[in-house]
Amino acid sequence: MSKTLLIISGGAADIAQAVREGGHTVVVSDADPQAPAFAFADSCLIADVHGAAETAAAAERYSRKIRKIDGVLCAADAALTAATVTNRLRLPGMPLHVGELLDDRLQMRRAFASAGIPTPWHMEIVTPQDLQRVMIAKGNDLIVKPVENRGSLGVTRLTAAGDFAAAFQEARSHSPSERVMVEQVLEGERLCLAGMMRAGQCQVADATQAAVAELIGRAASALGVSDGPVVGETVAHQGTVYVTDFSARLGDCALVADAARLALGE
């Protein structure tokens, strides 16, 4: 019997298509009525991907009035939204407190530090003047980000000629809590790896990346993610591999079938 899966992110057209081809009924949520994944959806929910309460309310209405939602797949940096929906609908998924942790870049980095996982130097800043002082101390090779973990929204890499005040305001404008952080850029080989956590172990398709997969698995475990799709970004800098970004989302179509089974509690 066909199951109904909610995909959080209208930008993931390839994932929506793969889920549909897998024989499932596809519901996609996004605030953009023209989102590309809607082309492969049986039903569409107009709700902000990062609006946890808004998406959960829309999903609950749909599940109660139209068709029961059986599982949730998150294809965006919106772990808190996914956790809120699964918690509201009592579906398999990460605990709400894990979603809250994954939504906060500073808390994630503290968890990494506690677990001995290398992460770039960073700090929270309150004013543009704080950022200016960091630039004097650390140089211009810095990234300014909202504290909320929402992908590239509000993220600016500074340059020597860049406007640090504008970068600060850009980050703060994309932070619901109006919190901003700055992070040092590390030079080296960068890698973005999508994998699947299974009982605390990160599995990836490319066996040559086993060492990086092990590090991403440790990062996931430090955040309380034991099962489900993950995406980790790393940089190899001066002989050490650092975790620069982490997200509990589906980032590879090859993992759709496994992720769907997990989301359905199978």
Side-chain angles (χ1 to χ4, degrees):
M1 182 181 294
S2 171
K3 298 286 187 177
T4 300
L5 283 164
L6 169 63
I7 300 174
I8 297 174
S9 177
D14 53 347
I15 290 173
Q17 182 178 13
V19 172
R20 188 178 221 182
E21 290 174 351
H24 299 295
T25 299
V26 177
V27 181
V28 176
S29 66
D30 201 287
D32 180 7
Q34 304 303 317
F38 284 167
F40 301 98
D42 297 286
S43 297
C44 307
L45 304 182
I46 303 299
D48 184 359
V49 166
H50 300 296
E54 177 186 348
T55 302
E60 185 177 39
R61 285 193 300 272
Y62 180 90
S63 190
R64 184 177 69 251
K65 295 182 177 182
I66 300 175
R67 184 183 176 95
K68 181 180 179 295
I69 292 173
D70 301 298
V72 176
L73 292 175
C74 186
D77 294 307
L80 179 56
T81 300
T84 302
V85 174
T86 55
N87 183 264
R88 178 83 67 91
L89 300 184
R90 298 183 179 180
L91 297 172
M94 71 179 67
L96 194 57
H97 74 272
V98 175
E100 292 170 344
L101 174 59
L102 287 162
D103 192 51
D104 189 306
R105 287 184 167 112
L106 288 174
Q107 287 193 48
M108 283 202 297
R109 281 151 178 74
R110 292 187 192 113
F112 292 160
S114 296
I117 296 166
T119 191
W121 176 91
H122 59 276
M123 69 175 289
E124 186 171 3
I125 52 176
V126 180
T127 66
Q129 289 70 35
D130 288 343
L131 177 55
Q132 188 177 34
R133 284 189 283 271
V134 172
M135 294 170 68
I136 293 170
K138 295 284 188 179
N140 296 324
D141 216 0
L142 302 165
I143 299 177
V144 185
K145 303 178 176 182
V147 169
E148 284 81 6
N149 184 19
R150 299 185 173 187
S152 61
L153 290 174
V155 176
T156 302
R157 179 168 177 172
L158 297 179
T159 64
D163 185 339
F164 67 89
F168 178 88
Q169 295 299 340
E170 175 70 7
R172 189 165 69 173
S173 71
H174 284 89
S175 169
S177 64
E178 297 189 344
R179 297 170 66 206
V180 179
M181 63 180 287
V182 60
E183 182 175 284
Q184 191 166 24
V185 176
L186 299 178
E187 297 300 334
E189 182 182 357
R190 296 183 177 275
L191 180 66
C192 181
L193 193 63
M196 179 69 70
M197 290 294 293
R198 294 178 181 275
Q201 301 294 318
C202 183
Q203 300 178 0
V204 296
D206 188 351
T208 65
Q209 302 297 341
V212 176
E214 190 273 336
L215 178 62
I216 292 173
R218 285 174 53 206
S221 296
L223 299 170
V225 180
S226 60
D227 296 282
V230 296
V231 177
E233 295 183 23
T234 65
V235 57
H237 176 73
Q238 296 181 354
T240 300
V241 180
Y242 294 78
V243 176
T244 56
D245 272 301
F246 181 90
S247 180
R249 64 177 171 86
L250 184 55
D252 186 345
C253 279
L255 301 174
V256 163
D258 283 348
R261 283 192 291 269
L262 192 64
L264 294 169
E266 297 174 3

